[in-house]
Amino acid sequence: MTTIPFTRSPAAVTLGEAMGLAGRYWSASWERWVLAVVAVALASGLAQLVLGASLLDQQTVANSMIPGAIDPSEVPRLLAGPIAVGLVSLVADWFLYANAIVGLRGGEMPLRRVIGAGLRVLLVVLLIVPGVMLAAIALTATGVLGLLGIVVLFPLLMLVLLRLAFWTYAIFDGQPIGAGVRLSWEISRGAVLRILGWQVALAALSFGLALVTRLLTVVLDVPAITAGLASGVSTAFQAWFVIVMVILYESQRLRSIEGVASMRVWVNPTEAVPSGWGQRSAGPAPGRAAELPPGDEEADDRPSPPPAPPGAPS
């Protein structure tokens, strides 16, 4: 299996179907994402083994609330571990996104394209996140009015984030930064509740998995091993999560951009939708034709054959 095994139009896929499709493709494409999981797990385990506690550890966070509890000379060591693991996780995510896009389009994604898309995403994050943080700090520093401003602006910020939920997928799908943002904004129009519902369901699964891994770390009580195990499990789940969301991305893209009828199905539902499906130039796969429900003939935009010349045999 080289692509996500759609059995009907991605425009009509449900969350349950997407989870199942993502699970099948996730297990079939394991060789594309397993190295990312191993890299993050090793980075976390080695950071814990070599550097010990980090600034993100629970006890360290508690000590940071007490003036003088942390030696300033220890701060670089406490920061080194999270920074190293964060960088490895960042690059690993690029390959998870690439694997998901390959599941839609088929073929392979060249390494230079993966790195190029990842660097474009990183550039946007580096430009936006510090600005948002500085704005939040500035509002908080103004007192009660600033806090009220944050409360008022928070729903608007969440709406914007939901409308831009697909921009990373668009960039890995070959779009420039600006075009990726416009594409995400376009295909999310009228679908905010759908996107929110999918993300809430996936977040609930992520929370449950985090609880399980937390229990395992308590039982094993071997910091280096448990850190690597928890990070590896989290990254493997992230690989599946990204596939589910890329299915939603393709579903919304087909609905909003391609204008594909949501009820279009394939005659043989046991076979996967061919690679490139949804592109107007792709057409039906050999030996398969699209079947339209009654009254939806206008969704088939293939040109009609020219009429036979007068006197020609029928």
Side-chain angles (χ1 to χ4, degrees), residues 73-88:
S73 63
E74 288 290 303
V75 172
R77 180 185 64 80
L78 295 174
L79 287 173
I83 291 175
V85 175
L87 290 174
V88 174

Side-chain angles (χ1 to χ4, degrees), residues 192-204:
V192 169
L193 291 180
R194 187 188 190 207
I195 299 169
L196 178 62
W198 284 47
Q199 291 193 344
V200 168
L202 295 175

Side-chain angles (χ1 to χ4, degrees), residues 2 4 25 29 32-33 91-111 113-115 117-118 168-169 171-173 239 242-243 246:
T2 57
I4 299 172
Y25 178 67
S29 63
R32 292 178 180 158
W33 53 261
V91 176
D93 280 350
W94 298 352
F95 291 91
L96 303 187
Y97 281 102
N99 177 53
I101 293 297
V102 167
L104 290 180
R105 310 295 175 225
E108 297 292 338
M109 187 177 295
L111 179 60
R113 180 179 165 187
V114 176
I115 296 175
T168 302
Y169 302 93
I171 288 177
F172 277 88
D173 202 15
V242 170
I243 299 170
V246 88

Side-chain angles (χ1 to χ4, degrees), residues 106-124:
E108 297 292 338
M109 187 177 295
L111 179 60
R112 63 179 182 179
R113 180 179 165 187
V114 176
I115 296 175
L119 290 176
R120 291 198 298 274
V121 172
L122 178 60
L123 175 63
V124 174

Side-chain angles (χ1 to χ4, degrees), residues 139-231:
L139 286 173
T140 304
T142 60
V144 177
L145 289 178
L147 293 176
L148 289 175
I150 292 177
V151 171
V152 172
L153 292 175
F154 183 77
L156 179 60
L157 177 61
M158 291 298 101
L159 176 62
V160 172
L161 290 177
L162 288 171
R163 293 294 302 273
L164 298 179
F166 302 123
W167 76 272
T168 302
Y169 302 93
I171 288 177
F172 277 88
D173 202 15
Q175 298 288 342
I177 293 175
V181 171
R182 289 192 298 271
L183 177 62
S184 180
W185 195 265
E186 174 67 24
I187 67 178
S188 62
R189 180 179 290 115
V192 169
L193 291 180
R194 187 188 190 207
I195 299 169
L196 178 62
W198 284 47
Q199 291 193 344
V200 168
L202 295 175
L205 291 176
S206 178
F207 180 75
L209 183 64
L211 288 179
V212 173
T213 55
R214 178 61 180 169
L215 289 175
L216 288 176
T217 59
V218 172
V219 172
L220 293 177
D221 196 25
V222 182
I225 295 178
T226 55
L229 178 63
S231 296

Side-chain angles (χ1 to χ4, degrees), residues 4 6 8-24 166 193-206 237 240-249 251-252 255:
I4 299 172
F6 293 111
R8 61 171 177 163
S9 164
V13 74
T14 64
L15 174 58
E17 290 172 336
M19 288 180 174
L21 292 169
R24 291 171 62 186
F166 302 123
L193 291 180
R194 187 188 190 207
I195 299 169
L196 178 62
W198 284 47
Q199 291 193 344
V200 168
L202 295 175
L205 291 176
S206 178
F237 176 82
W240 175 82
F241 174 94
V242 170
I243 299 170
V244 175
M245 289 303 297
V246 88
I247 292 173
L248 179 59
Y249 159 75
S251 178
Q252 288 301 131
R255 289 184 179 191

